[in-house]
Amino acid sequence: MGKIKSFFRKMIPLVFFQLSDKLDFSWLKSKKLVIRKIVFGILKFFLVAGVITAALWLFSFWGIINSSEMVDLYVLFFTLIMALLLISNTHHLTQSLYYAEDNKLLVTFPITSTLLFFSKIIVFFIFDFIKNLSLLIPVSFGFAVGGIILGQIEITTLFWLLIPLVVASAIIVLLASLLSVPYLYIYRLFKNVPVLELISVLVITATIIIGVTYVIGLIPDDIDLMNQWPAMRLTAQNFISDICKFVYPFTFVVRAMFGKHGSTYLGYRLIGECFLDFGILFGIFLVLIFVCYFTIKPFFFYMMTKSF
């Protein structure tokens, strides 16, 4: 226990040192700026959440979606955002771990490689959390409030969903740290052979264009929304349901956030199985910490010493 306290006693100032070097805290010196930043942050949060809640209610009122499909729609959004975060975090974490300017200073500090490595991960997670306050978190609360209004989600979900959401975000950061090693070598390869980067960009662009063209080609020329809407809606429902099954890991996380849909009650409820799912999610988080400790930390320290 004493070693753990000592670890965090050294970790906290190290994290704050890196944050102060990357963030502008000058606004904390002015009460007016502090109040303005807090007020605008809260207004922005509730504006995004309110737009999502209003959209869900209107779509349900107009019959575009059933209220019971709301959580499935969130699964699609959650999957897309987490996939984009994983790609973005892998790139930026690679830069932070192996190319950051402060590495040359931090490596001279009288600290262990473990403290240095996990301080970098924690700082990156804090930045990731701040970024998520702009979209992922308010949208999630917007879906929750919409579900409560539509009678699909319990009000207690509002006080719970942030916990599994934070753990899921931390898992994405840890996965990004694992992917940073192969990404580093690919990044260096592209830097050394620019033509490979150009070919990759052309292939990805061509694939996107072909995919979009194919999807557009599936749309019939004469669309009669009034008569064809029931069939189109059924197709969309089946598509969303199939996607939720395909991206089961993300559906699993959402179930831990919003609850489980049962046959003996309406909507989604936070039952014992949901908390068991969260326990599994937290277990995955702990396992990834150990995996990063034994694999990425030695590589990180090797790259740090190699740069001198």
Side-chain angles (χ1 to χ4, degrees):
M1 186 63 72
K3 290 183 177 180
I4 295 176
K5 286 183 178 180
S6 176
F7 179 83
F8 283 103
R9 194 181 302 119
K10 295 176 182 177
M11 175 69 75
I12 292 172
L14 185 60
V15 167
F16 273 103
F17 171 79
Q18 295 177 67
L19 286 175
S20 63
D21 187 51
K22 293 178 173 61
L23 292 176
D24 180 18
F25 290 107
S26 59
W27 55 274
L28 289 173
K29 299 176 182 179
S30 170
K31 289 184 179 180
K32 187 181 292 185
L33 289 177
V34 169
I35 294 172
R36 182 184 301 173
K37 202 168 186 69
I38 292 174
V39 169
F40 275 103
I42 293 174
L43 286 175
K44 182 181 177 182
F45 184 94
F46 281 103
L47 178 63
V48 174
V51 168
I52 297 299
T53 299
L56 288 172
W57 184 85
L58 286 173
F59 289 162
S60 177
F61 179 77
W62 290 333
I64 298 176
I65 63 169
N66 285 329
S67 57
S68 59
E69 299 166 358
M70 186 207 64
V71 173
D72 288 344
L73 285 175
Y74 179 80
V75 170
L76 296 184
F77 165 79
F78 184 75
T79 301
L80 177 62
I81 293 297
M82 284 298 173
L84 292 175
L85 280 175
L86 181 60
I87 296 170
S88 173
N89 287 352
T90 300
H91 172 74
H92 290 105
L93 192 53
T94 300
Q95 301 294 322
S96 176
L97 287 175
Y98 311 116
Y99 292 104
E101 288 295 326
D102 62 358
N103 283 351
K104 295 178 182 179
L105 176 62
L106 292 171
V107 78
T108 62
F109 286 9
I111 55 175
T112 64
S113 59
T114 301
L115 267 171
L116 180 55
F117 173 72
F118 281 110
S119 72
K120 301 281 283 187
I121 296 295
I122 291 172
V123 168
F124 189 87
F125 171 74
I126 292 172
F127 274 98
D128 189 61
F129 181 79
I130 293 172
K131 182 170 57 179
N132 288 340
L133 283 172
S134 298
L135 183 65
L136 177 60
I137 295 176
V139 169
S140 301
F141 273 89
F143 266 92
V145 174
I148 292 169
I149 293 173
L150 296 173
Q152 292 295 316
I153 293 177
E154 295 178 309
I155 194 169
T156 51
T157 303
L158 283 176
F159 305 99
W160 165 254
L161 71 86
L162 185 62
I163 298 174
L165 187 59
V166 168
V167 174
S169 299
I171 287 174
I172 292 295
V173 171
L174 292 172
L175 288 175
S177 70
L178 291 173
L179 293 174
S180 67
V181 175
Y183 181 82
L184 175 64
Y185 286 106
I186 295 172
Y187 179 80
R188 285 184 168 182
L189 178 63
F190 283 165
K191 291 277 285 186
N192 295 329
V193 189
V195 68
L196 285 177
E197 184 177 7
L198 177 62
I199 292 172
S200 299
V201 171
L202 291 174
V203 170
I204 293 172
T205 303
T207 302
I208 293 173
I209 293 173
I210 292 171
V212 171
T213 304
Y214 174 75
V215 171
I216 293 174
L218 294 176
I219 302 174
D221 296 328
D222 51 339
I223 300 178
D224 185 358
L225 282 177
M226 294 299 293
N227 294 323
Q228 295 179 355
W229 174 247
M232 292 171 61
R233 195 174 182 287
L234 181 61
T235 301
Q237 285 177 334
N238 292 334
F239 173 76
I240 293 173
S241 178
D242 291 340
I243 290 294
C244 290
K245 294 175 183 176
F246 181 73
V247 294
Y248 179 75
F250 299 102
T251 305
F252 178 86
V253 176
V254 172
R255 188 171 65 181
M257 291 167 54
F258 288 104
K260 191 174 184 297
H261 191 278
S263 57
T264 58
Y265 51 84
L266 294 175
Y268 293 80
R269 290 186 182 180
L270 289 171
I271 58 176
E273 188 177 339
C274 303
F275 296 107
L276 176 62
D277 291 343
F278 173 74
I280 295 172
L281 187 69
F282 192 75
I284 293 171
F285 165 70
L286 294 178
V287 168
L288 285 174
I289 289 177
F290 281 102
V291 172
C292 288
Y293 175 80
F294 288 109
T295 58
I296 307 303
K297 191 209 74 172
F299 181 79
F300 164 73
F301 192 68
Y302 166 74
M303 295 299 295
M304 288 275 287
T305 55
K306 189 179 177 181
S307 62
F308 290 92

